[in-house]
């Protein structure tokens, strides 16, 4: 009788151990699946531009861009949505030393065609203002640059901004289905609350990847040293002429790489 009880106990123990091992394997498999899925969703591709590392979702597929590539053969229509940096506030003369003017001048020299700008940006605005002005975009627009987020850091969580920015990108796609969309990550600032912009930067990357539009990480082109950064900002936030020159040079180098990529 005792031997029979011992065998029964041993059998039950082995059964429990086998079930535990199976549960552990299932848990490990599930954990690995989740990690891999998150990695595929969150980690953007990176390529190296002329001046800095560009985090982007579409450079690897630059051949899919059509609007910006028209510049090789013809003038193109471009819309800008955004805030004070979008209108080059802080430049000595935004119409000549702002990033938009310098970008247009440099690209015209390269391709002998013009960018016909329609700047719908305004100082002090949020992504909500961009949503309003995006309704005005003509379906024949070739390129749309979005330059917003700095002010939003004080009003929205990164999740809230991500949702609104996604709505903005999708609205632009409906209004101008053939336009290339470029999402600009604005420059860093000299401030103790710069950390608040980190969530906005992450949101811009996520939206760009999920919606297959191009991220222009201007933030990464600026110096990280606070003293060097202060030298190219007028007030700790807005770039001066040198800062906007850096911004336009960075964007130009990325656009030229895309325009010249094989069809």
């Amino acid at each position: 009788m005792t031997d029979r009880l011992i065998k029964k106990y041993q059998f039950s123990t082995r059964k429990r151990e086998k079930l535990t091992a199976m549960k552990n394997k299932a848990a490990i498999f599930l954990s690995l699946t989740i990690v891999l899925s998150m990695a595929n969703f969150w980690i953007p591709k990176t390529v190296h531009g002329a001046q800095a590392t560009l985090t982007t979702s579409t450079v690897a597929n630059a051949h899919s861009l059509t609007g910006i590539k028209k510049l090789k053969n013809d003038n193109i229509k471009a819309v800008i949505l955004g805030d004070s940096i979008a209108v080059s506030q802080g430049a000595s003369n935004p119409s000549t030393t702002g990033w938009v003017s310098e970008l247009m001048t440099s690209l015209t020299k390269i391709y002998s065609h013009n960018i016909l700008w329609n700047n719908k940006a305004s100082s002090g605005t949020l992504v909500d203002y961009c949503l309003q002005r995006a309704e005005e975009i003509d379906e024949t627009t070739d390129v749309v640059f979005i330059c917003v987020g700095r002010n939003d850091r004080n009003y929205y969580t990164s999740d809230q901004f991500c949702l609104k920015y996604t709505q903005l990108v999708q609205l632009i796609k409906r209004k101008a289905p053939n336009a290339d969309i470029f999402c600009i990550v604005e420059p860093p600032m000299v401030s103790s609350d710069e950390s608040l912009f980190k969530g906005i930067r992450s949101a811009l990357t996520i939206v760009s990847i999920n919606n297959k539009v191009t991220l222009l990480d201007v933030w990464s082109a600026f110096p990280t040293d606070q003293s060097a950064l202060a030298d190219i900002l007028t007030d700790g936030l807005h770039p001066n002429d040198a800062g906007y020159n850096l911004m336009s040079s960075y964007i130009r180098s990325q656009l030229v790489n895309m325009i010249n990529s094989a069809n």
Side-chain angles (χ1 to χ4, degrees):
M1 189 67 163
T2 302
D3 290 342
R4 187 183 295 174
L5 287 174
I6 291 173
K7 288 181 180 179
K8 185 176 181 181
Y9 173 78
Q10 289 175 338
F11 175 78
S12 298
T13 301
R14 285 196 298 271
K15 187 174 181 181
R16 285 197 300 271
E17 289 175 348
K18 186 175 181 180
L19 287 173
T20 300
M22 291 175 65
K23 289 180 180 180
N24 289 339
K25 287 181 180 180
I28 292 172
F29 177 77
L30 180 60
S31 298
L32 287 173
T33 302
I34 293 172
V35 170
L36 290 173
S37 298
M38 292 181 67
N40 288 331
F41 178 78
W42 287 95
I43 300 175
K45 300 173 184 177
T46 58
V47 297
H48 295 282
Q51 297 185 32
T53 299
L54 170 66
T55 304
T56 180
S57 61
T58 58
V59 169
N61 298 314
H63 62 277
S64 65
L65 298 175
T66 56
I68 193 66
K69 289 192 173 186
K70 291 182 181 179
L71 195 60
K72 291 190 291 186
N73 304 306
D74 201 355
N75 297 338
I76 63 172
K77 296 179 181 179
V79 168
I80 301 174
L81 301 171
D83 52 26
S84 56
I85 294 177
V87 297
S88 297
Q89 182 176 327
S92 59
N93 186 344
S95 64
T96 57
T97 60
W99 71 270
V100 175
S101 174
E102 293 197 353
L103 179 61
M104 179 178 66
T105 300
S106 60
L107 288 176
T108 299
K109 287 181 179 179
I110 296 172
Y111 299 107
S112 300
H113 295 288
N114 295 323
I115 298 178
L116 308 177
W117 295 100
N118 184 353
N119 198 327
K120 297 180 180 293
S122 181
S123 296
T125 54
L126 306 176
V127 65
D128 305 86
Y129 181 76
C130 296
L131 280 163
Q132 295 174 19
R133 299 304 303 270
E135 293 284 357
E136 305 167 7
I137 294 176
D138 187 88
E139 65 178 0
T140 62
T141 300
D142 299 301
V143 179
V144 178
F145 291 91
I146 309 173
C147 184
V148 73
R150 266 288 161 202
N151 298 322
D152 297 84
R153 78 190 189 283
N154 293 320
Y155 292 88
Y156 300 120
T157 65
S158 57
D159 288 342
Q160 291 171 331
F161 178 80
C162 189
L163 178 61
K164 287 177 176 287
Y165 202 92
T166 297
Q167 294 171 344
L168 175 60
V169 170
Q170 293 176 351
L171 173 59
I172 295 170
K173 286 188 172 187
R174 291 195 299 272
K175 301 296 290 187
N178 296 317
D180 298 331
I181 301 175
F182 295 96
C183 305
I184 296 174
V185 183
E186 296 175 298
M189 65 183 291
V190 179
S191 172
S192 58
D193 75 343
E194 171 62 13
S195 60
L196 295 176
F197 193 53
K198 185 176 181 180
I200 299 296
R201 286 163 47 209
S202 297
L204 290 170
T205 301
I206 292 169
V207 174
S208 297
I209 292 173
N210 289 347
N211 292 274
K212 298 180 181 180
V213 295
T214 305
L215 189 76
L216 295 174
D217 191 6
V218 170
W219 189 93
S220 68
F222 276 65
T224 56
D225 178 77
Q226 293 290 284
S227 178
L229 179 60
D231 288 341
I232 56 176
L233 301 178
T234 58
D235 53 7
L237 170 60
H238 300 95
N240 55 24
D241 288 354
Y244 281 121
N245 179 266
L246 176 61
M247 181 174 175
S248 66
S249 296
Y250 174 83
I251 294 176
R252 182 198 67 238
S253 68
Q254 306 310 322
L255 294 182
V256 168
N257 286 341
M258 297 174 203
I259 293 170
N260 295 341
S261 65
N263 291 324

